[in-house]
Amino acid sequence: MTRGAEATLHAFVEGRRTALFHSAYLLCGNRDEAEDLVQTTLVRVVLGARRHGRLENLDAYARKTLVNTFISARRRFWRREQAYGELPDLPGRPVDNDTGLMVRAALAGLAPKQRAVLVLRYWEDLSVAATAELLGMQESTVKSHTARGLAALKAAVREEYV
C-alpha cells in the first residue's frame, strides 16, 4: 500500500472512530462491549483495505463490518451465557426517567437484527434500500424488522410510563 493510501486509511480511522462507537453503543448497550466491537471492526476494515488495496466507500464497508460483527457475536453460544461467582442483584425500576436511558434499555431487549435495522435506519439515517443492501436482506424484511422493532420500543416505553 502506498504512503498516501496509508495516510487516507489512518485519517479515516481517526475520523470515524467516534461515530462508529456511538452506533456500536446503541447496538450493544454496553460501553466496554461497544469499544471492543469498534476495535474489532476497525482492525477488519484496515486489514481488508490493505488486502484489497481499495479505499473507495470505506464508510459503508466499516458500517457493514460493524453490524455483521455485532450480529455474528450474538449468534455465538458462549456469548449467551455468563458465569457469575454470585448471582447478581435484580435491577429495580429505573430511578432516572430519562428517555434516552429508556430507549437504550428497550433497544437492548430487541433481537440483534431488529436492533441493527433500527440503528442503521434511525441513528445512521440510512434508507430502507441502503439498510437492506448493507445487511444483505430484502427491503421488505428491513421494513418488517423496523415495524416490529418500533412496536416493541413503543410498548417498552409505554410500560415505563405506567
Side-chain angles (χ1 to χ4, degrees), residues 99-118:
T99 305
L101 291 174
M102 241 186 300
V103 170
R104 284 192 294 277
L107 266 175
L110 297 178
K113 283 190 180 181
Q114 277 184 345
R115 196 175 332 163
V117 166
L118 291 179

